[in-house]
Amino acid sequence: MKQTIALVDDDRHILESVQMTLEQEGFAVRTYTDGESALQGLMTRPADLAVLDIKMPRMDGMELLQRLRARSAMPVIFLTSKDDELDELMGLRLGADDYVTKPFSQRLLLERIRALLRRNEASRAEGSGAAPTGVIGRGDLTLDETKHQCLWKGQDIQLTVTEFLLVKALAARPGMVKSRDQLIDAAYGENVYVDDRTIDSHIKRLRRKFRAVDDEFDQIETLYGIGYRYKEA
């Protein structure tokens, strides 16, 4: 079955050209020109991945992402304006998995889409070496890779693909420091350039999610200038 990509952008030229490229590569594509129609469409017919522009009429990409994240962990790539760091950071804080800066190469976008879909599939597959069932348990933390489920003290924590892979990378080796480069490789794969601040934004969002159910959560430690580690219980 073809994987479905949702494209949301008010620029019809971008929609048509990207749609053509993706369909030539074997994807099914659904397009939307504003956030409201995209939200309605994606709630009734979910896609495997969504590519969202930020600046759109009726509902911008930021609000659309917030509403999607309240109901879905669907992988999301943001399209941001050139040199607009605020857009990138806000998108990551709201739960985007990746971003591509306009103007962009369609080949680059295609590579990012494929990489994110692979990460999503890998995060749902059984883990190698963690446990026969693909379950990682670390004290109050339980990660079930086959269900893409994260539990903290028995409470469900809704994580995006990138967030799940980051928690898995940290929790797999408690007490071991992971540099930002190592976390980028774990969450994005090798040969994908991601700025260090991307990892920092994801970590901040992860902490907020865990502290929403446990205000004493402090398992993810920052070692300034070095990286992060999952604190042993």
Side-chain angles (χ1 to χ4, degrees):
M1 180 180 294
K2 291 183 177 180
Q3 292 176 301
T4 300
I5 309 298
L7 301 178
V8 190
D9 199 311
D10 61 337
D11 187 326
R12 292 186 181 276
H13 174 71
I14 289 177
L15 286 181
E16 291 172 1
S17 60
V18 175
Q19 179 179 8
M20 184 180 298
T21 297
L22 292 178
E23 288 178 343
Q24 288 174 345
E25 295 295 327
F27 293 101
V29 180
R30 297 204 302 270
T31 63
Y32 305 92
T33 56
D34 63 82
E36 285 188 5
S37 62
L39 181 63
Q40 293 172 4
L42 290 170
M43 288 300 96
T44 56
R45 299 171 61 205
D48 293 293
L49 181 147
V51 179
L52 312 181
D53 188 27
I54 288 181
K55 297 176 175 63
M56 295 184 295
R58 298 179 65 192
M59 180 189 297
D60 66 19
M62 295 291 187
E63 184 178 353
L64 174 58
L65 178 61
Q66 280 185 300
R67 296 198 181 192
L68 288 174
R69 280 291 171 257
R71 311 177 196 183
S72 171
M74 175 181 59
V76 170
I77 296 175
F78 251 143
L79 299 179
T80 71
S81 301
K82 185 177 182 180
D83 299 327
D84 197 337
E85 293 186 6
L86 179 61
D87 281 353
E88 295 166 6
L89 291 173
M90 282 300 297
L92 293 170
R93 288 169 184 165
L94 291 173
D97 293 287
D98 202 352
Y99 65 88
V100 174
T101 304
K102 290 182 175 181
F104 58 87
S105 155
Q106 290 198 26
R107 185 56 51 184
L108 171 62
L109 178 60
L110 179 61
E111 289 175 359
R112 291 295 182 91
I113 288 171
R114 282 177 167 160
L116 185 48
L117 288 171
R118 285 196 300 269
R119 286 155 49 200
N120 189 35
E121 291 171 357
S123 74
R124 295 174 184 276
E126 289 194 348
S128 57
T133 58
V135 175
I136 298 174
R138 294 290 182 267
D140 293 319
L141 175 71
T142 302
L143 294 175
D144 188 331
E145 297 177 281
T146 62
K147 299 178 181 178
H148 188 77
Q149 183 180 54
C150 173
L151 300 176
W152 178 256
K153 295 184 177 179
Q155 297 191 68
D156 189 43
I157 310 292
Q158 291 291 320
L159 301 182
T160 67
V161 177
T162 305
E163 291 165 351
F164 189 93
L165 292 172
L166 286 173
V167 174
K168 175 186 170 184
L170 290 167
R173 302 293 294 274
M176 177 174 288
V177 179
K178 291 281 189 177
S179 69
R180 288 171 178 80
D181 286 342
Q182 288 174 316
L183 291 175
I184 288 171
D185 287 345
Y188 287 87
E190 297 180 359
N191 303 318
V192 174
Y193 172 76
V194 177
D195 195 279
D196 285 353
R197 68 176 182 271
T198 302
I199 295 299
D200 296 338
S201 293
H202 284 309
I203 294 294
K204 288 177 183 177
R205 181 172 170 81
L206 275 170
R207 286 173 172 151
R208 286 200 300 271
K209 286 188 173 184
F210 279 95
R211 287 171 182 164
V213 300
D214 179 5
D215 57 12
E216 295 184 353
F217 176 84
D218 64 351
Q219 299 306 114
I220 300 177
E221 296 183 314
T222 302
L223 284 84
Y224 292 99
I226 303 175
Y228 297 95
R229 70 181 171 195
Y230 189 84
K231 186 168 67 175
E232 295 180 279

